[in-house]
Amino acid sequence: PTLNAYDTSPLTKNHELYAYAYYVSNFTDADGDSIPSLRRAALVADVDGPSIQNQILISGVEDFQVQFGIDATGDDQIIDRYVDADVIADDDWDKVYAAKIWLLMRSDVTQKNVKEKEFTLAGVEKTYGSNGFRYFLVTSVVNLRNLKQQ
């Protein structure tokens, strides 16, 4: 979208910028409530200029992982494997066609007779449940459309 601007040149257009950083916090509503949550820091426009706004997305998220699906051969646009972002070279991001997301969710209150359960997130196995909370895993693969192809 084009925003109103003082510059009327057809060569110059202003566009809105959306910038987010996602993270898992050890609280939901107030520091010390011990309910983890998925949050994001959003760059927002303020009367005094840009600022960072802390936003809660989902309560009960214990862990959040993302891996990227790449076409390792670079010739057929078919995902060969999922890798961490730090494995992808700067000039290989055009081989990324999907993102795989893991959310490990936790109940808000402890319960009796909870059995430990092993979960695998982004290739790492961890055991949860010894603290009396129930856990479950949600995964999804998001295909990245609108890719800029050479």
Side-chain angles (χ1 to χ4, degrees), residues 25-35 39:
S25 173
N26 60 359
F27 69 92
T28 292
D29 295 320
D31 196 13
D33 68 8
S34 300
I35 302 171
R39 304 177 84 83

Side-chain angles (χ1 to χ4, degrees), residues 88-132:
I88 303 170
D90 289 342
D91 57 346
D92 283 343
W93 280 95
D94 60 342
K95 297 177 183 174
V96 173
Y97 290 94
K100 188 169 186 179
I101 302 165
W102 290 265
L103 287 177
L104 182 67
M105 307 293 293
R106 188 197 88 176
S107 61
D108 290 346
V109 295
T110 58
Q111 300 172 0
K112 294 181 181 180
N113 301 321
V114 174
K115 294 182 182 178
E116 288 187 352
K117 191 171 180 183
E118 190 172 277
F119 295 95
T120 303
L121 286 82
V124 177
E125 292 182 6
K126 294 183 181 178
T127 302
Y128 293 90
S130 63
N131 56 0

Side-chain angles (χ1 to χ4, degrees), residues 20-99:
Y20 304 107
Y22 296 86
Y23 65 99
V24 174
S25 173
N26 60 359
F27 69 92
T28 292
D29 295 320
D31 196 13
D33 68 8
S34 300
I35 302 171
S37 62
L38 178 63
R39 304 177 84 83
R40 73 178 180 188
L43 179 64
V44 296
D46 200 348
V47 292
D48 297 327
S51 65
I52 302 295
Q53 184 181 72
N54 188 344
Q55 303 169 340
I56 182 167
L57 300 177
I58 307 171
S59 177
V61 175
E62 179 83 19
D63 200 349
F64 167 62
Q65 299 294 321
V66 177
Q67 284 188 327
F68 296 95
I70 63 168
D71 174 11
T73 59
D75 59 359
D76 56 8
Q77 298 181 2
I78 295 174
I79 296 168
D80 298 311
R81 66 180 188 267
Y82 288 91
V83 297
D84 294 331
D86 61 350
V87 173
I88 303 170
D90 289 342
D91 57 346
D92 283 343
W93 280 95
D94 60 342
K95 297 177 183 174
V96 173
Y97 290 94

